Amino acid sequence: TVAFTLTNTGAASPSGALFDADVYRLSVAVEGRGWTAGLPNELVAVKAGASRAVTARVSCAGAGAAKSAKVTLRAVSESDPAKTASASAKVARR
């Protein structure tokens, strides 16, 4: 697994606790011959001003797989799709 941290930099709504979080749609991509990546869940809620750990599952198959790969996680706000974030990590075979 590859761990990422997703932070909601928004502020809570003055309307109260009903609107103190945002939902993000997640996607993951991997660059590397023979590598695959997936997510246990494609949606995650994060309270305003808080952070949450998000994990991606990564694997490589076969002797022909590249020795390393780049995994990129992308998050898009469901309430404002113009708000996006992405982060990348390098992984290597053991």
Side-chain angles (χ1 to χ4, degrees):
T1 60
V2 180
F4 294 92
T5 301
L6 178 60
T7 301
N8 180 345
T9 59
S13 168
S15 301
L18 267 178
F19 305 102
D20 70 345
D22 198 355
V23 174
Y24 297 91
R25 184 166 300 276
L26 306 175
S27 61
V28 66
V30 64
E31 297 174 31
R33 183 182 68 251
W35 288 79
T36 59
L39 295 166
N41 194 344
E42 293 181 357
L43 294 173
V44 64
V46 182
K47 289 190 174 203
S51 296
R52 183 165 176 181
V54 177
T55 58
R57 300 194 190 291
V58 183
S59 64
C60 67
K67 291 183 181 182
S68 64
K70 178 181 168 184
V71 181
T72 302
L73 177 75
R74 184 166 190 258
V76 178
S77 167
E78 285 289 290
S79 63
D80 184 357
K83 307 258 185 197
T84 66
S86 62
S88 297
K90 185 176 179 178
V91 294
R93 289 192 297 182
R94 293 184 195 178

